[in-house]
């Protein structure tokens, strides 16, 4: 059983930075992507970033490109999302997720394992 636990969410002023963490427990017996999604109140869950399990490939939503960085420490079984130059529109609950297989997906329906989410609030 794969379990994901996010942490690091907080209230931060616009222009500030946060680093989210996603700790993975259990064993994943295939190649996979780690993804970050976010959901603002009243909106759908949107793709933010993804990393191939080796870290060799990463992909970002246009809205965060150049500001957010996804990284991973496989020894610690942890994936990070470094968020810089935060904007009020980045306010959301952030989720990490696992997609089994080699093809990338930016659709939440392509991910089978999810964490419980961590709240990020950016004040103006």
């Amino acid at each position: 059983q794969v379990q994901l636990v996010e942490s690091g969410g907080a209230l931060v002023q616009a222009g500030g930075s946060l680093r989210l963490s996603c700790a993975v427990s259990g064993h994943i017996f295939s190649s996979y992507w780690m993804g970050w999604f976010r959901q603002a109140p009243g909106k759908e869950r949107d793709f933010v970033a993804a990393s191939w399990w080796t870290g060799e490939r990463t992909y970002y939503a246009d809205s965060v490109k150049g500001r957010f960085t996804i990284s991973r420490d496989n020894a610690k079984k942890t994936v990070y999302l470094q968020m810089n130059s935060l904007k009020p529109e980045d306010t959301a609950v952030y989720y990490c997720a696992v997609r089994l297989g080699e093809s990338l997906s930016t659709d939440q329906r392509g991910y089978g394992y999810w964490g419980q989410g961590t709240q990020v609030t950016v004040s103006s």
Side-chain angles (χ1 to χ4, degrees), residues 58-101:
T58 58
Y59 190 77
Y60 297 91
D62 288 342
S63 59
V64 306
K65 202 172 293 183
R67 300 188 299 123
F68 290 11
T69 302
I70 187 171
S71 63
R72 57 194 305 143
D73 184 335
N74 284 340
K76 295 182 178 180
K77 300 182 72 173
T78 301
V79 178
Y80 304 99
L81 185 68
Q82 177 67 43
M83 306 186 295
N84 299 327
S85 303
L86 282 162
K87 306 174 182 180
E89 51 264 43
D90 294 319
T91 295
V93 177
Y94 283 71
Y95 299 88
C96 65
V98 169
R99 170 177 171 77
L100 301 180

Side-chain angles (χ1 to χ4, degrees), residues 4 18 51 65 81 90 99 108 118:
L4 310 174
L18 278 178
S51 170
K65 202 172 293 183
L81 185 68
D90 294 319
R99 170 177 171 77
Q108 60 166 320
T118 185

Side-chain angles (χ1 to χ4, degrees), residues 28-43:
I28 303 174
F29 292 95
S30 71
S31 302
Y32 63 95
W33 287 86
M34 289 293 304
W36 283 97
F37 288 76
R38 65 186 181 186
Q39 187 167 20
K43 296 189 176 181

